[in-house]
Amino acid sequence: LQHNRDSENPGLITDMRAYVMEMLGEYFKLIDWFYDLGGQNLVIPPLAYQRFMSYDRQYMAVMTKMTLLLTEGFALDYYRQHDVDPYFAGIDTLLKLPADHPAHQLAVALGDFQRAWEYQPGRRKLLWEIAPIPLYTFWNLKEMLDPAEVAEVDAALAATDDLEQVYQTLYRVYARAVLGTDMPVPHFYLGTNRNGDLKLRSMAPISLLNGSATRFYYTPYPTLFITYETLQAIVEDVAFGTTMSTSKADYDERFTSDMANAEYERNMALSADPRTTIGFVRSLNGAFDTED
């Protein structure tokens, strides 16, 4: 849209490398903004596993080659200059493919990169989420855990009846397996609903949530069109925004009659219009699809 919209065939990518380099530049601009606003840990999902199943081998060979740009050149310079530890979460799924498959070879290369990287505590973390199937990782977890660690977790669970503590104990174990490193429960998720439906792209962190206070934000345009000001507004809302909540079974002494009536009228007006429901898929030009 930014560089090819005046072409005779704007949907055709004539130079895949130029396209990928432009996208990576936009990714790293967003990463820079996030760290500038005080962020510490960031997960970006550039590739879902479906990408490796729905395209021909020639396309996959190009795609895997382009993904390796995350381990070299300006990406490598960025990690070093900004004290960032890079991780590649989800690559265990690709190792299940045949050894001569481009995706398997990509996973091997990314794994080799991680083993060679000198990780340091206290650094910012940047996770590139590559083709994760969290359920697959969960299934294999029993073979990954040391028996002493299993015993330690069992003891921690037996020692508490605090359900939040139960969740946090299990979260640490599963987050380390799925994400490849220790990571706190995410504060927010940023996605796009540019076609109307609310997409969930970052499968690994979301698979670990348990109804916690993670907030979900959706832009009505491709996420990389976001401005610094919008990202700042999101971060500030996460840090300082308030929501109406109560530990009681009701909202005793939280409503006046005028507030209750206004809220009732607002909900009735929204309920009367089917189009207020978020999630309807729109056509490419953004119009709401209808029969008339």
Side-chain angles (χ1 to χ4, degrees):
L1 291 176
Q2 188 166 342
H3 298 279
N4 212 32
R5 62 186 182 276
D6 293 324
S7 304
E8 184 177 339
N9 183 5
L12 176 66
I13 301 174
T14 56
D15 187 338
M16 181 63 75
R17 182 178 177 84
Y19 168 78
V20 170
M21 293 302 292
E22 180 66 27
M23 292 291 288
L24 286 181
E26 293 298 317
Y27 272 128
F28 276 95
K29 181 174 71 175
L30 180 62
I31 292 165
D32 218 27
W33 289 351
F34 177 73
Y35 290 146
D36 181 66
L37 290 167
Q40 185 70 18
N41 305 301
L42 182 61
V43 181
I44 295 181
L47 292 173
Y49 78 86
Q50 290 89 343
R51 286 281 181 177
F52 297 96
M53 309 305 296
S54 306
Y55 297 87
D56 60 43
R57 296 281 283 237
Q58 182 180 1
Y59 175 84
M60 283 191 290
V62 173
M63 186 169 56
T64 53
K65 184 179 180 181
M66 295 297 103
T67 302
L68 289 174
L69 292 173
L70 298 174
T71 66
E72 57 191 50
F74 78 91
L76 202 57
D77 292 339
Y78 185 91
Y79 305 147
R80 290 169 174 164
Q81 291 170 11
H82 293 80
D83 288 327
V84 171
D85 275 340
Y87 295 83
F88 294 92
I91 58 176
D92 57 321
T93 60
L94 300 183
L95 294 174
K96 185 168 178 56
L97 297 173
D100 63 345
H101 195 289
H104 181 107
Q105 295 166 3
L106 172 64
V108 171
L110 296 178
D112 290 343
F113 174 85
Q114 289 191 131
R115 282 185 287 275
W117 185 266
E118 295 183 3
Y119 293 95
Q120 297 292 332
R123 285 180 180 166
R124 296 164 172 151
K125 296 178 181 180
L126 174 58
L127 276 73
W128 298 103
E129 196 176 6
I130 309 295
I133 301 179
L135 292 176
Y136 179 71
T137 304
F138 296 157
W139 181 256
N140 292 324
L141 186 59
K142 59 183 180 298
E143 300 175 4
M144 299 163 54
L145 293 177
D146 182 274
E149 185 176 7
V150 174
E152 182 180 340
V153 172
D154 281 339
L157 295 176
T160 184
D161 57 6
D162 183 335
L163 296 183
E164 180 60 27
Q165 187 60 43
V166 169
Y167 169 60
Q168 291 294 337
T169 297
L170 293 173
Y171 175 86
R172 284 191 291 272
V173 175
Y174 283 89
R176 196 177 302 127
V178 173
L179 303 176
T181 182
D182 291 315
M183 183 84 78
V185 177
H187 289 106
F188 74 98
Y189 169 81
L190 175 61
T192 176
N193 70 327
R194 68 185 180 90
N195 289 328
D197 53 332
L198 303 175
K199 296 178 177 62
L200 295 177
R201 297 298 192 197
S202 190
M203 294 295 97
I206 291 173
S207 71
L208 300 166
L209 299 183
N210 195 54
S212 60
T214 302
R215 297 193 186 183
F216 287 71
Y217 298 85
Y218 289 91
T219 58
Y221 46 80
T223 310
L224 290 179
F225 274 94
I226 197 170
T227 64
Y228 182 91
E229 290 73 22
T230 300
L231 183 60
Q232 181 178 18
I234 290 172
V235 171
E236 290 177 350
D237 185 60
V238 171
F240 309 115
T242 58
T243 57
M244 189 172 182
S245 61
T246 177
S247 59
K248 298 180 179 180
D250 54 23
Y251 289 98
D252 182 27
E253 297 184 351
R254 301 292 295 273
F255 269 122
T256 66
S257 179
D258 287 344
M259 290 170 59
N261 274 289
E263 182 68 4
Y264 173 79
E265 294 299 334
R266 185 182 75 88
N267 280 288
M268 290 301 293
L270 292 172
S271 174
D273 183 356
R275 291 174 296 179
T276 61
T277 301
I278 296 174
F280 286 113
V281 176
R282 294 190 297 267
S283 61
L284 191 60
N285 65 9
F288 185 80
D289 292 326
T290 61
E291 294 295 328
D292 52 24

